[in-house]
Amino acid sequence: MTTRTVLLLSGPNLNLLGEREPEVYGRTTLAELVDAATAAASELGFDLEHLQSNHEGELVDAIHAARGRIDALVVNAGALTHYGWSLHDALAAFDGVVVELHLSNPQRRESWRSTSVVAPVADGVVAGFGAAGYPMAVRAAVGLLDAR
Ligand code: DQA
């Protein structure tokens, strides 16, 4: 039996988590968030892969490579969430489950953050729960897969 896989994608500046604006994003590092997401996936019998990139095209390439290979994407696109239309289009061409993820709740921050180009191509959104959102988003993605 092949193991099913969740791909966690992290966009620009998320490599600085832990040091970057801790009052907004907390002190948990990206490596710790990936560990928590991996543990949640593994409890449900899933593998988890992770890619962080500061480059939109690299994330687009990863979404293309996920087609037919990855069951679910959990995407924290960072600021690309708000204007990364090539990510939107790549996600629209992905036929698995897509969960949009944010540490903060962009809706209660600056007005430019209230637009998400990911949301229209996401099955669901997890936002505002800080580090706890990472395992939550993985469980939500698997729940949606189970419901398919
Ligand atoms: C973020 C929210 C975005 O608005 C911001 O640009 C980020 C992080 C979050 O996880 O809360 O880089 O996606």
Side-chain angles (χ1 to χ4, degrees):
M1 199 184 80
T2 51
T3 314
R4 299 208 289 168
T5 308
V6 175
L7 173 61
L8 172 64
L9 290 175
S10 302
N13 302 306
L14 298 182
N15 52 309
L16 297 181
L17 287 174
E19 298 168 25
R20 172 196 183 207
E21 300 179 75
E23 67 288 357
V24 178
Y25 299 118
R27 296 205 177 269
T28 312
T29 65
L30 183 59
E32 290 166 338
L33 294 171
V34 173
D35 282 351
T38 304
S42 147
E43 275 167 24
L44 297 163
F46 279 70
D47 279 344
L48 185 130
E49 297 178 13
H50 174 245
L51 172 78
Q52 188 278 327
S53 179
N54 295 321
H55 305 280
E56 185 169 355
E58 202 174 333
L59 295 165
V60 168
D61 286 344
I63 296 166
H64 292 180
R67 284 157 46 86
R69 191 181 73 81
I70 295 289
D71 298 284
L73 297 174
V74 173
V75 186
N76 185 345
L80 289 171
T81 304
H82 313 301
Y83 66 94
W85 287 106
S86 69
L87 274 188
H88 166 102
D89 285 353
L91 290 169
F94 176 74
D95 55 3
V97 160
V98 176
V99 174
E100 176 180 350
L101 170 64
H102 301 285
L103 289 148
S104 65
N105 177 3
Q107 298 298 325
R108 64 182 280 182
R109 299 179 62 195
E110 302 95 318
S111 58
W112 60 268
R113 292 186 204 271
S114 63
T115 297
S116 169
V117 301
V118 173
V121 285
D123 295 287
V125 182
V126 174
F129 296 100
Y134 276 70
M136 227 181 254
V138 169
R139 288 189 201 105
V142 171
L144 289 173
L145 281 171
D146 287 346
R148 278 194 163 191

